[in-house]
Amino acid sequence: MKGRSNRRHRWFRARIAILGVGLLCVAALVLVRAFQLQVVGGDRLREMAEGQHLRLLRVSPRRGAIYDRHGAELAVSVDVDSVYANPRRLRAMDQDPARTARRLAAVLDVDAKQLASRLATDRYFVWIARRVTPHEATRIAELDIPGIGLTTEARRYYPNRHLAAHLLGFADIDGRGIEGIELAFENELRGSDRRVEAIRDRRGQVVFADETIDDLSKEGQNVVLTIDKAIQHIAERELALGVRTFEARGGSVVVMDPSTGEILALANYPPFNPNEPSKHPTAHRRNRAVVDRFEPGSTVKPFTMAAALTAGAVRPDQSINCENGVTRIGGRRLHDAHPYEWLTPTQILAYSSNIGTAKIALELGKRDLYRSFRRFGFGDSTRLGVPGEAAGILRHYRSWYEIDVAAVSFGQGMSVTNVQLATAMSAIANGGRLMRPTLVRRITDARGATLEETKPQVRRQVVPRRVAKLVGEMLTAVTEPGGTAMEAAVDGYLVAGKTGTAQKADYIHGGYAKDKWLASFIGFAPADKPSVAISVVIDEPIIAHYGGTVAGPVFRRIAEVTLRHMGVAPDRGRAVLAEMKEKPEAEPAAKAAPTGAIEDGQSSVPDVRRLPLRRAVLTLHAESLVPEVSGSGLVVRQDPLPGSVVSHGATVRLQLDRRSLDQKATVSPKGSPSLAAAVPRRPHEP
Amino acid sequence: MSPSSKPPPMRPGSIDVSLAATFVGLIAFGVVMVYSASAVYANRMYGDGMHFLVRQTIFASVALLVLAVSSRIDLSLLRRLTYPILLIAVVLMVAVALGLGRSAGGATRWIRIGSLNVQPAELAKLAMVLWLVHSLTKKAHRVRTFSIGFLPHVLVMALLMLLCLAQPDFGSAVMIALLTFVVLFAAGAKAGYLLGGVLVALPIGYAAIASSPYRMRRIQAFLEPFKHRQGAGYQITESLMSFGSGGWAGVGLGDGRQKLLFLPEAHTDFVSAIVGEELGFLGVTALCLAFAWLVFRGLRAAWRSPDEYASYLAAGMTLFIGLQAFTNLAVAMGLLPTKGLALPFVSYGGSSLLVNAAAAGLILNVSRFAVEPAEVAVKSVKRKRVKPRMRTAEGGAR
C-alpha cells in the first residue's frame, strides 16, 4: 500500500515539476510579450496613447488692463461663466436631448431645436452659451442637469461703458483687440501666448499641465493712458449735448495738455458701448477725432497768421484792406461774410476775414505757407498710434494756383483731422513748440512696474516763441465781445481760440453743399499761461451752424470744468467781465404765465428773449419745442410769444441779434478790453 | 492502512520566509498600485481620491490576518471544512444566479452580505480546488478510474461553471475548468480522460462564445484589437498603450496617464497595465518574477511535503494563484481574450484579496512540514518505508 502510495507520490512530483515548468514557461512568454510591447513597440504605442491624452493648449495669459492717467480702470478682464455640455455624459445619464434643450432654452437665449441636435452628437464637449450673466449661470446651476456644466472664461469688460469707447476700441469674444487701443496695443495687452503640453482625461478635460503659469513677465501688460477719466466724461457729456442741441450728425473733441502733447480726453459722438459692440452700427464706432478728415475752414487762420508774422510778411500793427467783403484773386471772386474796410491782423482773426487772411498769405508766398503748414503738422500723420489715423491732405505748393494759396490760408482745399488741429493749436499755446501728441503714458507689467514710459517729445519749434505769444494774444479777441466766439469765453479765464464754420464739400455735385456745415472751435486757456487746449468739431449741425454758436459753448463747458479739475486758478481781473457776459445765462429762463390751461402734450412757451442761442434752444427743448433760428447773438424776438400754449413739437421762431450783445458788453462798468471797443460792429465769419 | 500506533505530532518547521515575504510584498504593492490607478477615477466617481485606497488598505489588513490564520490552521480541520466551504460557495452562487446579487456593468457578480459586497465566484474557485484536493487524496489510486476519479469532479466543475455562466462570468468559469483539469492532472488522472474532456469542452466553449454576441466581439477584438479600438477592443488597446507608454523604466509611479479614465477598470482587472505604464518593463519583470518565485516556492513546498493531502493542497493553491496571475497578465497584454479576472494580491477587490490570502496562507502552512529532498531520496534508495512521523491530516480524520 505504501509502495503504491510512494510510486504515486513520485509520479505526483513529476507532474508537479511538469506543471511548474509549464507555468514558468507561461511566465517567460508573458515577459517576452511585455518586452515586445514595452521596449520594442513602446514608441508606437506611446504615440497612440499621447495622441489621446496629450493636447497642446494655448495658454493665454490674462489680458492687461487699460487705465486712465490716474489709474482708473477703463478696460479690464473679468471671469465670467460659460455653459457647456458633455453630450456623451448626457446620454449616459439618460437625459433626453430635446427635453434638456428645452430646459436650457428656457433660461438661456438659445434656439432649443438647434441645441437639441448639438446635444444629440457623439462628443464630449460642446458650447451652449458663452459668457452668460451671473443670473443665468445661477439658474443653470440650479437646473443641475448631469452633463451640463459651467466653466469660467475671461471677458473683456468696460466698466464705464461708452466712456472713451472710440479710443479704447474693443476686443472680440476670444479677447483679441479689434479696434482702438485694444488693437494698437494688442501685443502688450495680450502678453505672450504659450503653448503648453497638457494632459486631458477621457472626457477631454484638462487634468494638469506640465508647467504652471506663474511667470508674470508673460502676462498681459497694462496700458496707462494720458486720458483723464473726469475730463473725458465732461468732454463726452458736453459734446453729446452740443451735438443733440444743434441736431448735428456727430462730432469730436480733443482735449490736450499743450505743454506735453498728452491727450487728456478724446471724445466722439455718436457713442457706443464697447461691451456690446455688435449692437451698434459701424459708423458709431468710428474714432472721428483721429480717422475723419475734413476741411477745417477758418480754424487754420491763426497758423497762416503765425507763418506770416514769422516771415515778416505782415506786421502786428499793419492795417489790411479787406475790400468791403468782395475781391478777386486769381480770377475768382472771394467773399467775406460781412464787409470790412481796414482791419488789423488781430481784427482779421477776431472777425475771421477771408480776404484779409488771403492777402496776408499771398504776401507770405505759397512756398512759405506750405512749409509752415507742414511744420504745424498738416498733411502728416501725428503718429498717435491708434488704428486708422488719417494724415489729412495738403497738396504740394508747386501745384497751387493763386486761388489755392488763398483757399489754403483759410482752410479750404486741404483736409485735417481733429487731433492735428488740436496739436497745431497746442503749438501756438506752447510757445511755438509742436509736441508729439501722446495717448499712452506708460506700459506696466502685471505687477504694476513700469516697463516703458512716454516722455513728452518736442517735434520742432514751428514758429518763434514771440510769434506764438503774439498770435495767442490776438486769438483772445475771438472770445471777447465782438469776436466770433463769445460763447467760448470761460468765466474767470482768458481764452484764446478760433472758430471755424466750414461748408462741407458736396461730393456728388461738386463745389460746396449749401446747407452742410462743419462747426468748430479750437482754443486754449488760460491764454497767457495755457494749461489746456481743446478742439471741438461738430459735424452738420442743423439748428445753427456758426462755429462760435455751435462749438463755442461746448468748448466753454469743457474748459470750465477741466481748468477747475486741473486746479488752474481763475484770473480775477477778468472775472468781472465774464460775469457781465454770463449775466443773461445766469438768469433762469422766465417761466411765463400760461395764457390758457395746459393739457397733456402741450407746453406753455417760455420766455427766451435776451437769452443766448444755446440757452434758448435748451430751454425750448425742455418744453419739447423745436427752435427755428435766424441770426446770431442774443434772442431779440420770439414767435409765438411767451405764455402761449402750443402742442409739443411746435416750432418756435427765434430772431437773434448781435447788437444786443454788444450793447450789453459796452455798458459794462469796467469797460470791455480795448480791442472790443476798437472793433466795428458785428463781425461774421464765412 | 491505518498506522499501528498514533505517531507523536511532528514539530512543524519554520515557514518559507521568502515565500511569505513575496505574499506580503505583493499585497503591499497592490495597495500602492490601487491608489495610483484609482485616484482620478475615485475622485470623479465619489469625490474622494482615496476611496479605493482606504478600502483596499482595510482589505489588505484583513487579508494579512487571514493569511496568518490559514498558515497555522490545522489541516485536518481544514479538510473537515471542505464540504461546508463548497456548500457555502454553491449557495452563494445559486443566490446570485437567482438574481439576488448586485449588478455592475451588465453582469451580476456580487452579493451583499451585511455591508460587504462579496464576489462568490472567487470563493467558488477556491472551494473547487479545496474540494478537488480533498477528494483526490481520499480516492488515492482510484483517481485513474473514470467513474470515480474523473466524472464526479468534472460534474461538480460543470455545476460551478454553469453557475458562473449564469452571472455571466465567463472568466471564472474558464478558470474553474482550467484549475480542475490542472489539479486532476497533478493528482494523476488519466491523461486520456483529460484530453477527452478538453475535446468535449472545446465545442461547448465555442457554442458559449458564439451564442453571446459580446463574447464574440471580444474574441474578434482579441484577434485584431486596434481594428476594434473604438468598440470591443477599446479596453485591450488602452491596456496595450499603457504598457507601451511605460517603456523600459516607466513614466514614474503615479504619473501614468492612461488611468485618466482612458483605461477602464484600471485599478481592478487591468492594474497590471498601470504597473506597466508607471514602472515600465522593469516593473513588469519584477512582478512576473515575484509570481514565478511564488509558483516555484509553492510547488517546492508541495514537492517536499511528505503528506499527500498537504502536497496536493500546496500544489492546488499554488496553481490557483499562479494560473490566475499569469492569465491576468496575458489578458492585459493581449495574449488571451479579455475576461474578468483579477490579478491576485494586486487588483482592487476584497473577495479576491481574501481568497488569495487564504490560498497563500495554506501554501505557507504546508511549507512548514517539509522533508528535506535528500532524506526522501535516501529513503527511497534504501526502500525504507517512510513512516510519516507527523500528525497528518489523514490521521486526524481517523
Side-chain angles (χ1 to χ4, degrees), chain A residues 8 13 15 33 52 201, chain B residues 44 188 238 303 308 333:
Chain A
R8 276 203 307 121
R13 287 182 162 185
R15 286 175 156 126
R33 174 67 170 169
Q52 66 180 356
D201 67 16
Chain B
R44 283 287 152 84
E238 291 298 331
W303 175 290
E308 202 170 1
M333 292 181 195

Side-chain angles (χ1 to χ4, degrees), chain A residues 480-675:
Chain A
E480 285 177 353
T484 52
M486 287 181 58
E487 294 91 335
V490 181
D491 233 0
Y493 299 94
L494 193 56
V495 173
K498 183 69 193 82
T499 55
T501 308
Q503 271 182 293
K504 288 183 78 174
D506 187 333
Y507 293 107
I508 297 161
H509 303 101
Y512 289 91
K514 269 251 167 339
D515 48 359
K516 287 188 177 168
W517 305 82
L518 195 120
S520 55
F521 184 87
I522 307 159
F524 53 88
D528 44 355
K529 202 166 173 283
S531 304
V532 63
I534 303 170
S535 167
V536 180
V537 174
I538 309 279
D539 190 19
E540 290 185 27
I542 291 173
I543 304 290
H545 59 263
Y546 294 116
T549 311
V550 177
V554 177
F555 172 92
R556 186 191 69 232
R557 301 290 288 268
I558 297 172
E560 252 171 23
V561 180
T562 303
L563 289 169
R564 214 181 304 139
H565 178 76
M566 294 171 84
V568 180
D571 180 348
R572 298 296 301 165
R574 305 270 178 180
V576 181
L577 168 72
E579 244 168 59
M580 288 306 300
K581 285 199 298 186
E582 289 292 311
K583 205 103 196 188
E585 277 206 49
E587 293 167 4
K591 207 58 170 170
T595 50
I598 304 171
E599 290 168 26
D600 266 1
Q602 288 189 329
S603 306
S604 163
V605 177
D607 186 358
V608 295
R609 286 171 301 189
R610 294 186 310 282
L611 292 184
L613 173 61
R614 187 180 140 89
R615 186 85 188 171
V617 167
L618 289 179
T619 308
L620 291 177
H621 270 307
E623 297 290 339
S624 307
L625 299 172
V626 180
E628 193 187 288
V629 184
S630 59
S632 98
L634 296 185
V635 177
V636 289
R637 217 170 296 142
Q638 74 175 84
D639 174 35
L641 287 169
S644 318
V645 176
V646 294
S647 0
H648 285 170
T651 305
V652 177
R653 273 181 293 281
L654 302 177
Q655 175 74 49
L656 281 75
D657 197 90
R658 243 330 135 161
R659 249 169 312 189
S660 53
L661 253 185
D662 288 346
Q663 280 160 14
K664 278 209 174 269
T666 45
V667 295
S668 151
K670 300 244 163 129
S672 42
S674 54
L675 190 73

Side-chain angles (χ1 to χ4, degrees), chain B residues 23 35 50 52 77 141 147 152 158 164 181 184 195 235 264 267 277 296 299 302 341 360 363 382 388:
Chain B
F23 289 137
Y35 181 44
M50 308 223 285
F52 294 107
L77 172 63
H141 60 279
S147 59
C164 279
F181 276 72
L184 279 175
L195 243 126
Q235 193 170 21
H267 60 298
E277 184 186 10
F296 172 66
L299 291 181
L341 201 61
I363 299 171
K382 290 183 178 172

Side-chain angles (χ1 to χ4, degrees), chain A residues 1-6 8-21 23-24 26-39 41-46 48-50 52-54 88 197 199-203 205-208 210, chain B residues 1 44 140-141 144 182 185-189 226 229 234 238 240-241 243-248 257-258 260-262 264 276 280-281 284-285 288 292 295 299 302-306 308 311-312 315 319 322-323 326 329-330 333-335 376 380 386 388:
Chain A
M1 195 64 199
K2 272 289 165 197
R4 264 182 181 210
S5 175
N6 259 345
R8 276 203 307 121
H9 199 71
R10 276 199 295 279
W11 271 112
F12 168 71
R13 287 182 162 185
R15 286 175 156 126
I16 286 288
I18 292 169
L19 283 174
V21 170
L23 261 181
L24 293 182
V26 173
L29 186 65
V30 164
L31 272 182
V32 167
R33 174 67 170 169
F35 186 80
Q36 183 205 334
L37 278 179
Q38 303 195 266
V39 180
D43 289 341
R44 196 176 57 88
L45 288 166
R46 182 167 52 240
M48 287 177 71
E50 283 176 355
Q52 66 180 356
H53 50 60
L54 261 192
R88 285 226 183 180
E197 245 185 28
I199 309 303
R200 67 182 192 98
D201 67 16
R202 196 180 168 190
R203 298 184 194 176
Q205 289 186 354
V206 171
V207 180
F208 50 82
D210 276 351
Chain B
M1 55 156 270
R44 283 287 152 84
H141 60 279
R144 291 180 64 79
V182 168
F185 170 76
F226 287 97
R229 192 178 159 187
Y234 179 78
E238 291 298 331
L240 295 179
M241 284 189 268
F243 278 106
S245 299
W248 272 107
R257 288 156 187 184
Q258 287 291 98
L260 301 174
L261 315 180
F262 289 108
F281 178 65
V284 173
T285 304
C288 278
V295 166
L299 291 181
W303 175 290
R304 291 170 59 167
S305 171
E308 202 170 1
S311 270
Y312 285 2
L319 291 168
L323 274 177
F326 289 114
L329 289 169
M333 292 181 195
L335 289 171
V376 175
S380 52
V386 176

Side-chain angles (χ1 to χ4, degrees), chain B residues 254-340:
Chain B
D255 280 345
R257 288 156 187 184
Q258 287 291 98
K259 63 197 181 190
L260 301 174
L261 315 180
F262 289 108
L263 176 63
E265 298 177 62
H267 60 298
T268 58
D269 295 351
F270 280 81
V271 73
S272 59
I274 300 300
V275 174
E277 184 186 10
E278 299 192 346
L279 303 177
F281 178 65
L282 299 179
V284 173
T285 304
L287 189 65
C288 278
L289 289 180
F291 280 113
W293 180 252
L294 188 157
V295 166
F296 172 66
R297 297 298 285 194
L299 291 181
R300 180 171 170 266
W303 175 290
R304 291 170 59 167
S305 171
D307 179 67
E308 202 170 1
Y309 174 72
S311 270
Y312 285 2
L313 184 66
M317 291 302 121
T318 304
L319 291 168
F320 175 78
I321 295 170
L323 274 177
Q324 290 199 76
F326 289 114
T327 309
N328 173 283
L329 289 169
V331 165
M333 292 181 195
L335 289 171
L336 289 174
T338 311
K339 48 192 184 213

